[in-house]
mmCIF file of all heavy atoms in Angstrom:
data_model
loop_
_atom_site.group_PDB
_atom_site.id
_atom_site.type_symbol
_atom_site.label_atom_id
_atom_site.label_comp_id
_atom_site.label_asym_id
_atom_site.label_seq_id
_atom_site.Cartn_x
_atom_site.Cartn_y
_atom_site.Cartn_z
ATOM 1 N N TYR Q 426 -14.637 5.721 -4.331
ATOM 2 C CA TYR Q 426 -13.469 6.576 -4.139
ATOM 3 C C TYR Q 426 -13.754 7.592 -3.044
ATOM 4 O O TYR Q 426 -14.879 8.058 -2.887
ATOM 5 C CB TYR Q 426 -13.066 7.283 -5.436
ATOM 6 C CG TYR Q 426 -14.119 8.181 -6.041
ATOM 7 C CD1 TYR Q 426 -14.147 9.546 -5.750
ATOM 8 C CD2 TYR Q 426 -15.076 7.676 -6.916
ATOM 9 C CE1 TYR Q 426 -15.110 10.377 -6.310
ATOM 10 C CE2 TYR Q 426 -16.045 8.506 -7.481
ATOM 11 C CZ TYR Q 426 -16.057 9.848 -7.167
ATOM 12 O OH TYR Q 426 -17.007 10.675 -7.716
ATOM 13 N N GLN Q 427 -12.707 7.885 -2.290
ATOM 14 C CA GLN Q 427 -12.846 8.874 -1.223
ATOM 15 C C GLN Q 427 -12.644 10.260 -1.833
ATOM 16 O O GLN Q 427 -11.515 10.663 -2.134
ATOM 17 C CB GLN Q 427 -11.842 8.641 -0.101
ATOM 18 C CG GLN Q 427 -12.092 9.525 1.111
ATOM 19 C CD GLN Q 427 -11.011 9.400 2.161
ATOM 20 O OE1 GLN Q 427 -9.852 9.695 1.891
ATOM 21 N NE2 GLN Q 427 -11.387 8.977 3.359
ATOM 22 N N ALA Q 428 -13.740 10.960 -2.060
ATOM 23 C CA ALA Q 428 -13.689 12.288 -2.671
ATOM 24 C C ALA Q 428 -13.262 13.314 -1.629
ATOM 25 O O ALA Q 428 -13.818 13.356 -0.531
ATOM 26 C CB ALA Q 428 -15.051 12.654 -3.241
ATOM 27 N N ARG Q 429 -12.285 14.125 -2.002
ATOM 28 C CA ARG Q 429 -11.802 15.150 -1.086
ATOM 29 C C ARG Q 429 -11.808 16.521 -1.759
ATOM 30 O O ARG Q 429 -11.393 16.664 -2.907
ATOM 31 C CB ARG Q 429 -10.384 14.844 -0.610
ATOM 32 C CG ARG Q 429 -10.285 13.672 0.340
ATOM 33 C CD ARG Q 429 -8.906 13.618 0.969
ATOM 34 N NE ARG Q 429 -8.757 12.497 1.879
ATOM 35 C CZ ARG Q 429 -7.694 12.314 2.666
ATOM 36 N NH1 ARG Q 429 -6.688 13.168 2.632
ATOM 37 N NH2 ARG Q 429 -7.626 11.269 3.472
ATOM 38 N N THR Q 430 -12.287 17.509 -1.015
ATOM 39 C CA THR Q 430 -12.142 18.912 -1.385
ATOM 40 C C THR Q 430 -11.774 19.664 -0.108
ATOM 41 O O THR Q 430 -11.625 19.059 0.969
ATOM 42 C CB THR Q 430 -13.446 19.493 -1.966
ATOM 43 O OG1 THR Q 430 -14.412 19.598 -0.910
ATOM 44 C CG2 THR Q 430 -14.007 18.631 -3.091
ATOM 45 N N LYS Q 431 -11.678 20.970 -0.201
ATOM 46 C CA LYS Q 431 -11.406 21.757 0.998
ATOM 47 C C LYS Q 431 -12.591 21.739 1.952
ATOM 48 O O LYS Q 431 -12.438 21.966 3.156
ATOM 49 C CB LYS Q 431 -11.070 23.200 0.613
ATOM 50 C CG LYS Q 431 -9.768 23.348 -0.162
ATOM 51 C CD LYS Q 431 -9.509 24.805 -0.536
ATOM 52 C CE LYS Q 431 -8.212 24.941 -1.304
ATOM 53 N NZ LYS Q 431 -7.950 26.354 -1.703
ATOM 54 N N GLN Q 432 -13.784 21.472 1.422
ATOM 55 C CA GLN Q 432 -15.002 21.547 2.237
ATOM 56 C C GLN Q 432 -15.429 20.193 2.810
ATOM 57 O O GLN Q 432 -16.067 20.138 3.856
ATOM 58 C CB GLN Q 432 -16.160 22.121 1.411
ATOM 59 C CG GLN Q 432 -16.054 23.605 1.129
ATOM 60 C CD GLN Q 432 -15.014 23.924 0.075
ATOM 61 O OE1 GLN Q 432 -14.861 23.168 -0.888
ATOM 62 N NE2 GLN Q 432 -14.294 25.018 0.257
ATOM 63 N N TYR Q 433 -15.139 19.097 2.132
ATOM 64 C CA TYR Q 433 -15.670 17.814 2.604
ATOM 65 C C TYR Q 433 -14.747 16.655 2.259
ATOM 66 O O TYR Q 433 -13.829 16.771 1.433
ATOM 67 C CB TYR Q 433 -17.062 17.563 2.010
ATOM 68 C CG TYR Q 433 -17.090 17.437 0.497
ATOM 69 C CD1 TYR Q 433 -16.765 16.245 -0.145
ATOM 70 C CD2 TYR Q 433 -17.460 18.529 -0.291
ATOM 71 C CE1 TYR Q 433 -16.783 16.146 -1.529
ATOM 72 C CE2 TYR Q 433 -17.492 18.434 -1.668
ATOM 73 C CZ TYR Q 433 -17.153 17.240 -2.292
ATOM 74 O OH TYR Q 433 -17.162 17.135 -3.650
ATOM 75 N N ARG Q 434 -15.029 15.546 2.881
ATOM 76 C CA ARG Q 434 -14.346 14.281 2.622
ATOM 77 C C ARG Q 434 -15.391 13.185 2.760
ATOM 78 O O ARG Q 434 -15.885 12.924 3.860
ATOM 79 C CB ARG Q 434 -13.204 14.068 3.615
ATOM 80 C CG ARG Q 434 -12.460 12.767 3.440
ATOM 81 C CD ARG Q 434 -11.416 12.572 4.520
ATOM 82 N NE ARG Q 434 -10.420 13.635 4.532
ATOM 83 C CZ ARG Q 434 -9.357 13.634 5.322
ATOM 84 N NH1 ARG Q 434 -9.165 12.636 6.169
ATOM 85 N NH2 ARG Q 434 -8.503 14.636 5.287
ATOM 86 N N GLU Q 435 -15.758 12.544 1.652
ATOM 87 C CA GLU Q 435 -16.781 11.520 1.707
ATOM 88 C C GLU Q 435 -16.566 10.488 0.606
ATOM 89 O O GLU Q 435 -15.949 10.771 -0.425
ATOM 90 C CB GLU Q 435 -18.177 12.130 1.580
ATOM 91 C CG GLU Q 435 -18.471 12.754 0.231
ATOM 92 C CD GLU Q 435 -19.860 13.380 0.170
ATOM 93 O OE1 GLU Q 435 -20.324 13.860 1.223
ATOM 94 O OE2 GLU Q 435 -20.462 13.392 -0.923
ATOM 95 N N TRP Q 436 -17.121 9.289 0.827
ATOM 96 C CA TRP Q 436 -17.011 8.230 -0.157
ATOM 97 C C TRP Q 436 -18.130 8.353 -1.186
ATOM 98 O O TRP Q 436 -19.292 8.573 -0.842
ATOM 99 C CB TRP Q 436 -17.060 6.862 0.524
ATOM 100 C CG TRP Q 436 -15.744 6.490 1.135
ATOM 101 C CD1 TRP Q 436 -15.327 6.767 2.403
ATOM 102 C CD2 TRP Q 436 -14.669 5.811 0.494
ATOM 103 N NE1 TRP Q 436 -14.044 6.294 2.605
ATOM 104 C CE2 TRP Q 436 -13.620 5.691 1.443
ATOM 105 C CE3 TRP Q 436 -14.481 5.282 -0.784
ATOM 106 C CZ2 TRP Q 436 -12.408 5.070 1.144
ATOM 107 C CZ3 TRP Q 436 -13.273 4.655 -1.074
ATOM 108 C CH2 TRP Q 436 -12.247 4.559 -0.128
ATOM 109 N N ARG Q 437 -17.756 8.207 -2.456
ATOM 110 C CA ARG Q 437 -18.690 8.214 -3.563
ATOM 111 C C ARG Q 437 -18.341 7.052 -4.486
ATOM 112 O O ARG Q 437 -17.327 6.382 -4.309
ATOM 113 C CB ARG Q 437 -18.611 9.543 -4.331
ATOM 114 C CG ARG Q 437 -18.985 10.749 -3.489
ATOM 115 C CD ARG Q 437 -18.827 12.040 -4.264
ATOM 116 N NE ARG Q 437 -19.315 13.186 -3.492
ATOM 117 C CZ ARG Q 437 -19.276 14.433 -3.915
ATOM 118 N NH1 ARG Q 437 -18.779 14.704 -5.117
ATOM 119 N NH2 ARG Q 437 -19.735 15.419 -3.173
ATOM 120 N N ILE Q 438 -19.183 6.842 -5.507
ATOM 121 C CA ILE Q 438 -18.869 5.784 -6.457
ATOM 122 C C ILE Q 438 -18.999 6.297 -7.890
ATOM 123 O O ILE Q 438 -19.699 7.268 -8.162
ATOM 124 C CB ILE Q 438 -19.764 4.532 -6.288
ATOM 125 C CG1 ILE Q 438 -21.208 4.818 -6.704
ATOM 126 C CG2 ILE Q 438 -19.688 3.970 -4.895
ATOM 127 C CD1 ILE Q 438 -22.051 3.560 -6.875
ATOM 128 N N THR Q 439 -18.301 5.615 -8.778
ATOM 129 C CA THR Q 439 -18.514 5.738 -10.211
ATOM 130 C C THR Q 439 -18.865 4.341 -10.707
ATOM 131 O O THR Q 439 -18.191 3.371 -10.357
ATOM 132 C CB THR Q 439 -17.277 6.311 -10.933
ATOM 133 O OG1 THR Q 439 -17.513 6.330 -12.349
ATOM 134 C CG2 THR Q 439 -16.025 5.511 -10.647
ATOM 135 N N SER Q 440 -19.950 4.208 -11.447
ATOM 136 C CA SER Q 440 -20.441 2.891 -11.849
ATOM 137 C C SER Q 440 -20.563 2.798 -13.368
ATOM 138 O O SER Q 440 -20.761 3.810 -14.056
ATOM 139 C CB SER Q 440 -21.789 2.579 -11.201
ATOM 140 O OG SER Q 440 -22.777 3.504 -11.622
ATOM 141 N N PHE Q 441 -20.458 1.562 -13.872
ATOM 142 C CA PHE Q 441 -20.465 1.319 -15.321
ATOM 143 C C PHE Q 441 -21.796 0.707 -15.733
ATOM 144 O O PHE Q 441 -22.096 -0.443 -15.427
ATOM 145 C CB PHE Q 441 -19.318 0.381 -15.687
ATOM 146 C CG PHE Q 441 -19.142 0.185 -17.161
ATOM 147 C CD1 PHE Q 441 -18.576 1.174 -17.940
ATOM 148 C CD2 PHE Q 441 -19.543 -0.992 -17.773
ATOM 149 C CE1 PHE Q 441 -18.397 1.000 -19.306
ATOM 150 C CE2 PHE Q 441 -19.376 -1.180 -19.138
ATOM 151 C CZ PHE Q 441 -18.798 -0.178 -19.910
ATOM 152 N N LYS Q 442 -22.619 1.497 -16.417
ATOM 153 C CA LYS Q 442 -23.919 1.020 -16.899
ATOM 154 C C LYS Q 442 -24.153 1.517 -18.322
ATOM 155 O O LYS Q 442 -23.774 2.639 -18.662
ATOM 156 C CB LYS Q 442 -25.053 1.509 -15.990
ATOM 157 C CG LYS Q 442 -25.083 0.859 -14.615
ATOM 158 C CD LYS Q 442 -26.299 1.318 -13.815
ATOM 159 C CE LYS Q 442 -26.367 0.627 -12.458
ATOM 160 N NZ LYS Q 442 -27.551 1.040 -11.675
ATOM 161 N N ASN Q 443 -24.768 0.660 -19.117
ATOM 162 C CA ASN Q 443 -25.094 1.015 -20.499
ATOM 163 C C ASN Q 443 -23.884 1.521 -21.277
ATOM 164 O O ASN Q 443 -23.958 2.467 -22.071
ATOM 165 C CB ASN Q 443 -26.216 2.064 -20.535
ATOM 166 C CG ASN Q 443 -27.483 1.580 -19.845
ATOM 167 O OD1 ASN Q 443 -27.875 0.421 -19.996
ATOM 168 N ND2 ASN Q 443 -28.104 2.459 -19.071
ATOM 169 N N GLY Q 444 -22.744 0.883 -21.000
ATOM 170 C CA GLY Q 444 -21.552 1.183 -21.766
ATOM 171 C C GLY Q 444 -20.803 2.429 -21.388
ATOM 172 O O GLY Q 444 -19.866 2.839 -22.083
ATOM 173 N N GLN Q 445 -21.162 3.065 -20.246
ATOM 174 C CA GLN Q 445 -20.439 4.263 -19.841
ATOM 175 C C GLN Q 445 -20.365 4.376 -18.317
ATOM 176 O O GLN Q 445 -21.165 3.788 -17.596
ATOM 177 C CB GLN Q 445 -21.092 5.503 -20.427
ATOM 178 C CG GLN Q 445 -22.489 5.787 -19.917
ATOM 179 C CD GLN Q 445 -23.099 7.032 -20.550
ATOM 180 O OE1 GLN Q 445 -22.581 7.572 -21.521
ATOM 181 N NE2 GLN Q 445 -24.201 7.504 -19.983
ATOM 182 N N TRP Q 446 -19.377 5.156 -17.884
ATOM 183 C CA TRP Q 446 -19.168 5.379 -16.453
ATOM 184 C C TRP Q 446 -19.897 6.646 -16.012
ATOM 185 O O TRP Q 446 -19.870 7.657 -16.707
ATOM 186 C CB TRP Q 446 -17.673 5.527 -16.150
ATOM 187 C CG TRP Q 446 -16.911 4.252 -16.250
ATOM 188 C CD1 TRP Q 446 -16.212 3.795 -17.335
ATOM 189 C CD2 TRP Q 446 -16.768 3.266 -15.231
ATOM 190 N NE1 TRP Q 446 -15.655 2.580 -17.053
ATOM 191 C CE2 TRP Q 446 -15.971 2.222 -15.759
ATOM 192 C CE3 TRP Q 446 -17.237 3.133 -13.928
ATOM 193 C CZ2 TRP Q 446 -15.625 1.093 -15.038
ATOM 194 C CZ3 TRP Q 446 -16.898 2.010 -13.198
ATOM 195 C CH2 TRP Q 446 -16.103 1.004 -13.744
ATOM 196 N N THR Q 447 -20.532 6.567 -14.838
ATOM 197 C CA THR Q 447 -21.197 7.727 -14.230
ATOM 198 C C THR Q 447 -20.621 7.933 -12.832
ATOM 199 O O THR Q 447 -20.673 7.024 -11.994
ATOM 200 C CB THR Q 447 -22.716 7.505 -14.139
ATOM 201 O OG1 THR Q 447 -23.234 7.235 -15.446
ATOM 202 C CG2 THR Q 447 -23.397 8.741 -13.567
ATOM 203 N N HIS Q 448 -20.065 9.106 -12.582
ATOM 204 C CA HIS Q 448 -19.339 9.343 -11.324
ATOM 205 C C HIS Q 448 -20.150 10.197 -10.351
ATOM 206 O O HIS Q 448 -21.280 10.612 -10.639
ATOM 207 C CB HIS Q 448 -17.996 10.005 -11.604
ATOM 208 C CG HIS Q 448 -18.096 11.330 -12.296
ATOM 209 N ND1 HIS Q 448 -18.458 12.489 -11.663
ATOM 210 C CD2 HIS Q 448 -17.874 11.676 -13.593
ATOM 211 C CE1 HIS Q 448 -18.452 13.493 -12.498
ATOM 212 N NE2 HIS Q 448 -18.111 13.029 -13.693
ATOM 213 N N SER Q 449 -19.563 10.443 -9.187
ATOM 214 C CA SER Q 449 -20.122 11.313 -8.138
ATOM 215 C C SER Q 449 -21.474 10.826 -7.635
ATOM 216 O O SER Q 449 -22.323 11.614 -7.233
ATOM 217 C CB SER Q 449 -20.233 12.763 -8.637
ATOM 218 O OG SER Q 449 -18.971 13.252 -9.050
ATOM 219 N N GLN Q 450 -21.661 9.503 -7.632
ATOM 220 C CA GLN Q 450 -22.888 8.917 -7.105
ATOM 221 C C GLN Q 450 -22.714 8.580 -5.625
ATOM 222 O O GLN Q 450 -21.593 8.316 -5.157
ATOM 223 C CB GLN Q 450 -23.239 7.649 -7.871
ATOM 224 C CG GLN Q 450 -23.504 7.863 -9.355
ATOM 225 C CD GLN Q 450 -23.696 6.546 -10.084
ATOM 226 O OE1 GLN Q 450 -22.763 5.775 -10.282
ATOM 227 N NE2 GLN Q 450 -24.927 6.282 -10.473
ATOM 228 N N PRO Q 451 -23.795 8.549 -4.853
ATOM 229 C CA PRO Q 451 -23.686 8.184 -3.431
ATOM 230 C C PRO Q 451 -23.353 6.708 -3.265
ATOM 231 O O PRO Q 451 -23.640 5.884 -4.140
ATOM 232 C CB PRO Q 451 -25.064 8.510 -2.876
ATOM 233 C CG PRO Q 451 -25.976 8.420 -4.056
ATOM 234 C CD PRO Q 451 -25.172 8.887 -5.235
ATOM 235 N N MET Q 452 -22.764 6.385 -2.151
ATOM 236 C CA MET Q 452 -22.472 4.987 -1.845
ATOM 237 C C MET Q 452 -23.773 4.193 -1.733
ATOM 238 O O MET Q 452 -24.797 4.720 -1.276
ATOM 239 C CB MET Q 452 -21.687 4.881 -0.539
ATOM 240 C CG MET Q 452 -20.250 5.369 -0.643
ATOM 241 S SD MET Q 452 -19.200 4.305 -1.664
ATOM 242 C CE MET Q 452 -19.053 2.840 -0.627
ATOM 243 N N PRO Q 453 -23.769 2.924 -2.160
ATOM 244 C CA PRO Q 453 -24.989 2.104 -2.075
ATOM 245 C C PRO Q 453 -25.551 2.069 -0.657
ATOM 246 O O PRO Q 453 -24.814 1.944 0.320
ATOM 247 C CB PRO Q 453 -24.496 0.719 -2.510
ATOM 248 C CG PRO Q 453 -23.293 0.982 -3.353
ATOM 249 C CD PRO Q 453 -22.639 2.183 -2.754
ATOM 250 N N GLY Q 454 -26.855 2.211 -0.544
ATOM 251 C CA GLY Q 454 -27.528 2.109 0.746
ATOM 252 C C GLY Q 454 -27.522 3.368 1.578
ATOM 253 O O GLY Q 454 -28.058 3.372 2.696
ATOM 254 N N THR Q 455 -26.929 4.456 1.067
ATOM 255 C CA THR Q 455 -26.844 5.679 1.876
ATOM 256 C C THR Q 455 -27.908 6.712 1.513
ATOM 257 O O THR Q 455 -28.157 7.636 2.288
ATOM 258 C CB THR Q 455 -25.456 6.322 1.734
ATOM 259 O OG1 THR Q 455 -25.251 6.689 0.358
ATOM 260 C CG2 THR Q 455 -24.359 5.370 2.175
ATOM 261 N N VAL Q 456 -28.543 6.573 0.354
ATOM 262 C CA VAL Q 456 -29.578 7.530 -0.046
ATOM 263 C C VAL Q 456 -30.811 7.356 0.844
ATOM 264 O O VAL Q 456 -31.332 6.253 1.004
ATOM 265 C CB VAL Q 456 -29.964 7.333 -1.521
ATOM 266 C CG1 VAL Q 456 -31.084 8.286 -1.915
ATOM 267 C CG2 VAL Q 456 -28.752 7.555 -2.417
ATOM 268 N N ASN Q 457 -31.234 8.423 1.454
ATOM 269 C CA ASN Q 457 -32.420 8.428 2.340
ATOM 270 C C ASN Q 457 -32.237 7.555 3.586
ATOM 271 O O ASN Q 457 -33.216 7.259 4.275
ATOM 272 C CB ASN Q 457 -33.675 7.969 1.585
ATOM 273 C CG ASN Q 457 -33.996 8.878 0.416
ATOM 274 O OD1 ASN Q 457 -33.835 10.089 0.507
ATOM 275 N ND2 ASN Q 457 -34.443 8.284 -0.689
ATOM 276 N N ARG Q 458 -31.015 7.163 3.868
ATOM 277 C CA ARG Q 458 -30.777 6.380 5.085
ATOM 278 C C ARG Q 458 -30.859 7.283 6.313
ATOM 279 O O ARG Q 458 -30.353 8.411 6.300
ATOM 280 C CB ARG Q 458 -29.389 5.727 5.021
ATOM 281 C CG ARG Q 458 -29.071 4.836 6.225
ATOM 282 C CD ARG Q 458 -27.655 4.278 6.120
ATOM 283 N NE ARG Q 458 -26.651 5.326 6.233
ATOM 284 C CZ ARG Q 458 -25.343 5.122 6.082
ATOM 285 N NH1 ARG Q 458 -24.896 3.899 5.763
ATOM 286 N NH2 ARG Q 458 -24.489 6.117 6.204
ATOM 287 N N THR Q 459 -31.502 6.797 7.361
ATOM 288 C CA THR Q 459 -31.600 7.551 8.609
ATOM 289 C C THR Q 459 -31.139 6.688 9.772
ATOM 290 O O THR Q 459 -31.221 5.458 9.727
ATOM 291 C CB THR Q 459 -33.042 8.013 8.877
ATOM 292 O OG1 THR Q 459 -33.894 6.865 9.041
ATOM 293 C CG2 THR Q 459 -33.555 8.875 7.733
ATOM 294 N N LEU Q 460 -30.664 7.357 10.808
ATOM 295 C CA LEU Q 460 -30.251 6.669 12.032
ATOM 296 C C LEU Q 460 -30.640 7.542 13.211
ATOM 297 O O LEU Q 460 -30.321 8.734 13.245
ATOM 298 C CB LEU Q 460 -28.740 6.416 12.030
ATOM 299 C CG LEU Q 460 -28.152 5.792 13.298
ATOM 300 C CD1 LEU Q 460 -28.671 4.368 13.495
ATOM 301 C CD2 LEU Q 460 -26.611 5.796 13.241
ATOM 302 N N VAL Q 461 -31.358 6.960 14.188
ATOM 303 C CA VAL Q 461 -31.733 7.683 15.398
ATOM 304 C C VAL Q 461 -31.256 6.899 16.612
ATOM 305 O O VAL Q 461 -31.076 5.673 16.558
ATOM 306 C CB VAL Q 461 -33.260 7.906 15.481
ATOM 307 C CG1 VAL Q 461 -33.731 8.775 14.328
ATOM 308 C CG2 VAL Q 461 -34.006 6.573 15.504
ATOM 309 N N ASP Q 462 -31.052 7.617 17.716
ATOM 310 C CA ASP Q 462 -30.639 6.942 18.942
ATOM 311 C C ASP Q 462 -31.873 6.471 19.715
ATOM 312 O O ASP Q 462 -33.018 6.576 19.235
ATOM 313 C CB ASP Q 462 -29.748 7.845 19.791
ATOM 314 C CG ASP Q 462 -30.436 9.113 20.260
ATOM 315 O OD1 ASP Q 462 -31.694 9.156 20.258
ATOM 316 O OD2 ASP Q 462 -29.735 10.065 20.641
ATOM 317 N N SER Q 463 -31.659 5.967 20.906
ATOM 318 C CA SER Q 463 -32.764 5.402 21.689
ATOM 319 C C SER Q 463 -33.789 6.449 22.098
ATOM 320 O O SER Q 463 -34.925 6.115 22.439
ATOM 321 C CB SER Q 463 -32.210 4.714 22.937
ATOM 322 O OG SER Q 463 -31.467 5.646 23.729
ATOM 323 N N LYS Q 464 -33.419 7.735 22.061
ATOM 324 C CA LYS Q 464 -34.341 8.818 22.394
ATOM 325 C C LYS Q 464 -34.913 9.485 21.148
ATOM 326 O O LYS Q 464 -35.491 10.553 21.229
ATOM 327 C CB LYS Q 464 -33.624 9.852 23.266
ATOM 328 C CG LYS Q 464 -33.167 9.297 24.613
ATOM 329 C CD LYS Q 464 -32.468 10.367 25.439
ATOM 330 C CE LYS Q 464 -32.007 9.798 26.786
ATOM 331 N NZ LYS Q 464 -31.307 10.826 27.598
ATOM 332 N N ASN Q 465 -34.707 8.843 20.022
ATOM 333 C CA ASN Q 465 -35.229 9.304 18.734
ATOM 334 C C ASN Q 465 -34.534 10.553 18.210
ATOM 335 O O ASN Q 465 -35.068 11.252 17.339
ATOM 336 C CB ASN Q 465 -36.740 9.553 18.810
ATOM 337 C CG ASN Q 465 -37.425 9.181 17.513
ATOM 338 O OD1 ASN Q 465 -37.040 8.208 16.853
ATOM 339 N ND2 ASN Q 465 -38.433 9.945 17.127
ATOM 340 N N ASN Q 466 -33.325 10.833 18.716
ATOM 341 C CA ASN Q 466 -32.538 11.949 18.204
ATOM 342 C C ASN Q 466 -31.801 11.492 16.935
ATOM 343 O O ASN Q 466 -31.190 10.415 16.913
ATOM 344 C CB ASN Q 466 -31.517 12.416 19.243
ATOM 345 C CG ASN Q 466 -32.182 12.960 20.490
ATOM 346 O OD1 ASN Q 466 -33.079 13.789 20.402
ATOM 347 N ND2 ASN Q 466 -31.740 12.483 21.651
ATOM 348 N N THR Q 467 -31.856 12.301 15.893
ATOM 349 C CA THR Q 467 -31.214 11.942 14.635
ATOM 350 C C THR Q 467 -29.691 12.013 14.763
ATOM 351 O O THR Q 467 -29.137 12.983 15.298
ATOM 352 C CB THR Q 467 -31.671 12.888 13.507
ATOM 353 O OG1 THR Q 467 -33.089 12.773 13.350
ATOM 354 C CG2 THR Q 467 -30.981 12.545 12.196
ATOM 355 N N ILE Q 468 -29.038 10.993 14.275
ATOM 356 C CA ILE Q 468 -27.573 10.940 14.232
ATOM 357 C C ILE Q 468 -27.151 11.275 12.808
ATOM 358 O O ILE Q 468 -27.526 10.577 11.856
ATOM 359 C CB ILE Q 468 -27.060 9.550 14.642
ATOM 360 C CG1 ILE Q 468 -27.454 9.248 16.099
ATOM 361 C CG2 ILE Q 468 -25.551 9.454 14.454
ATOM 362 C CD1 ILE Q 468 -27.231 7.811 16.497
ATOM 363 N N THR Q 469 -26.402 12.322 12.640
ATOM 364 C CA THR Q 469 -26.031 12.778 11.293
ATOM 365 C C THR Q 469 -24.612 12.367 10.899
ATOM 366 O O THR Q 469 -24.338 12.178 9.711
ATOM 367 C CB THR Q 469 -26.149 14.301 11.197
ATOM 368 O OG1 THR Q 469 -25.314 14.917 12.197
ATOM 369 C CG2 THR Q 469 -27.590 14.747 11.407
#
Side-chain angles (χ1 to χ4, degrees):
Y426 60 94
Q427 188 186 61
R429 289 191 181 188
T430 70
K431 294 179 180 179
Q432 287 75 37
Y433 63 82
R434 179 184 300 185
E435 67 182 32
W436 281 90
R437 298 177 174 179
I438 69 166
T439 176
S440 62
F441 186 75
K442 290 184 178 181
N443 302 319
Q445 65 181 12
W446 288 95
T447 303
H448 60 77
S449 302
Q450 298 174 289
M452 289 291 290
T455 62
V456 177
N457 299 322
R458 182 183 67 185
T459 63
L460 176 66
V461 297
D462 62 19
S463 58
K464 297 180 180 179
N465 216 36
N466 296 311
T467 299
I468 297 169
T469 58

